[in-house]
Amino acid sequence: MQLLDGKLVSQSIKDSLKTKLIEAQSKGAKIPHLAAILVGNNGASETYVASKVKNCAEIGFKSTLIRLEESIDEEKLIDAIQQLNADNDIDGILVQLPLPKHINEEKIINVIHPGKDVDGFHPISVGKLVQGLPTFVSATPYGIMLMLEHYNIETKGKHAVVIGRSNIVGRPASILLSRNTNPGNCTVTLCHSHTKNLKELCLQADIIVAALGKPGFLTADMVKENAVVVDVGITRVPDAAKKSGFAIKGDVDFANVAPKCSYITPVPGGVGLMTIAALLMNTYNASLQK
Ligand code: NAD
């Protein structure tokens, strides 16, 4: 079994971005600038946004964090996005999800200019993704593909089972894996909460992407020998032994599944770090459009 090491791969992506940036700047290119909007004080969202901002600084990107009150109304949030759309120095805009219940996420995502949609959630980005056209690919599925590519994992003709059909992870991951690209060219089965024979399907899978948000869901009896397992899950579970009071758990029962796998991502240290690296790549590419 080999670990798919998100720390190592994301660092190599960041190093290469840093090098490209230094070279581009010597030729007068602008510094990529990411704007992140955080509404409210959700603990996990705070952590994710802080990490995105920190990673921008690490590689020499600019970032602007806009914090808005939990109680903000939709119109004010839309105004804030439109200001960023109009600001020529801003290359990428992300609105950290989830948003408070009174705000319609779909409506908000639609306001982001597609040319600055570095999270790849805008319908135009998703439409292009489905058609195989160049676009911003949402960061988590993009990060998964970069990971598979880095380790030269053969995907052509393989059966991939994706568990979870969310617009931000499962569904785009299923599309990317099925595209006529490398990595890609898989036969994909997209499973969800109404899938009846999940265990049987998983047992047929050469590659499993677990993205459902249920800690330890994928157990060893659901995985065939030598499968590649990508664990997207990030759930905070209470853990008195930790200073923070919680531990981060993935969707895979890692201890028992790992010995059966050819490759597996750890949690933490896997897909989460790749997501940030992919976001930085999208931001860099957005800055090149200028
Ligand atoms: P979501 O809640 O939007 O979607 C979960 C999906 O899982 C749904 O499509 C649902 O049908 C499916 N599902 C739920 N229970 C199931 C079951 N018993 N069997 C089969 N399918 C089932 O979640 P999401 O936003 O896609 O996130 C999934 C997980 O990935 C969460 O733990 C989230 O925190 C994590 N996540 C991680 C990253 C990262 O960077 N690593 C990024 C985004 C999300």
Side-chain angles (χ1 to χ4, degrees), residues 159-163 189-192 195-208 217-225 227 260:
H159 180 201
V161 166
V162 178
I163 314 173
T189 304
L190 181 55
C191 300
H192 47 75
T195 300
K196 290 216 165 80
N197 51 344
L198 187 72
K199 182 176 171 182
E200 285 162 46
L201 292 165
C202 286
L203 279 169
Q204 292 166 23
D206 304 303
I207 300 167
I208 300 177
F217 178 88
L218 189 80
T219 47
D221 59 330
M222 298 167 82
V223 178
K224 77 172 180 187
E225 289 292 333
K260 294 183 88 172

Side-chain angles (χ1 to χ4, degrees), residues 79-94:
D79 280 350
I81 297 170
Q82 277 167 344
Q83 280 179 35
L84 296 171
N85 283 343
D87 184 338
N88 275 335
D89 195 56
I90 301 288
D91 301 298
I93 302 170
L94 73 84

Side-chain angles (χ1 to χ4, degrees), residues 44 48 121 139-141 144 162-171 190-195 198 210-215 217 222 231-236 249-251 267 270-276:
Y48 297 146
F121 297 159
T140 302
I144 294 171
V162 178
I163 314 173
R165 60 177 162 188
S166 74
N167 285 339
I168 64 167
V169 188
R171 193 174 300 281
L190 181 55
C191 300
H192 47 75
S193 47
H194 293 278
T195 300
L198 187 72
L212 68 162
K214 300 230 153 85
F217 178 88
M222 298 167 82
D231 189 352
V232 184
I234 297 184
T235 306
R236 291 179 168 199
K249 294 278 176 216
D251 288 340
V267 174
V271 175
L273 297 170
M274 293 305 299
T275 297
I276 293 186

Side-chain angles (χ1 to χ4, degrees), residues 4-128:
L4 297 172
D5 186 342
K7 201 169 170 190
L8 186 132
V9 185
S10 66
Q11 192 58 54
S12 92
I13 290 172
K14 288 193 286 181
D15 289 346
S16 106
L17 279 175
K18 212 168 166 176
T19 311
K20 278 194 208 168
L21 181 61
I22 292 168
E23 206 184 306
Q25 273 183 274
S26 71
K27 294 178 188 150
K30 83 180 280 299
I31 300 175
H33 189 171
L34 175 71
I37 298 183
L38 176 61
V39 181
N41 303 93
N42 175 297
S45 294
E46 294 258 4
T47 312
Y48 297 146
V49 170
S51 175
K52 290 167 188 174
V53 167
K54 182 172 149 270
N55 275 275
C56 278
E58 212 182 283
I59 61 167
F61 287 10
K62 282 204 270 183
S63 67
T64 298
L65 172 58
I66 297 162
R67 308 187 66 114
L68 300 169
E69 294 284 316
E70 175 92 20
S71 58
I72 191 167
D73 63 45
E74 240 171 45
E75 286 314 309
K76 290 216 172 83
L77 178 53
I78 289 172
D79 280 350
I81 297 170
Q82 277 167 344
Q83 280 179 35
L84 296 171
N85 283 343
D87 184 338
N88 275 335
D89 195 56
I90 301 288
D91 301 298
I93 302 170
L94 73 84
V95 178
Q96 186 64 43
L97 303 180
L99 290 169
K101 295 239 167 337
H102 65 280
I103 295 177
N104 180 335
E105 284 186 357
E106 202 181 314
K107 190 170 164 189
I108 295 303
I109 287 165
N110 277 324
V111 178
I112 298 171
H113 188 287
K116 300 189 179 191
D117 175 37
V118 287
D119 255 343
F121 297 159
H122 192 284
I124 289 183
S125 308
V126 179
K128 286 184 174 174

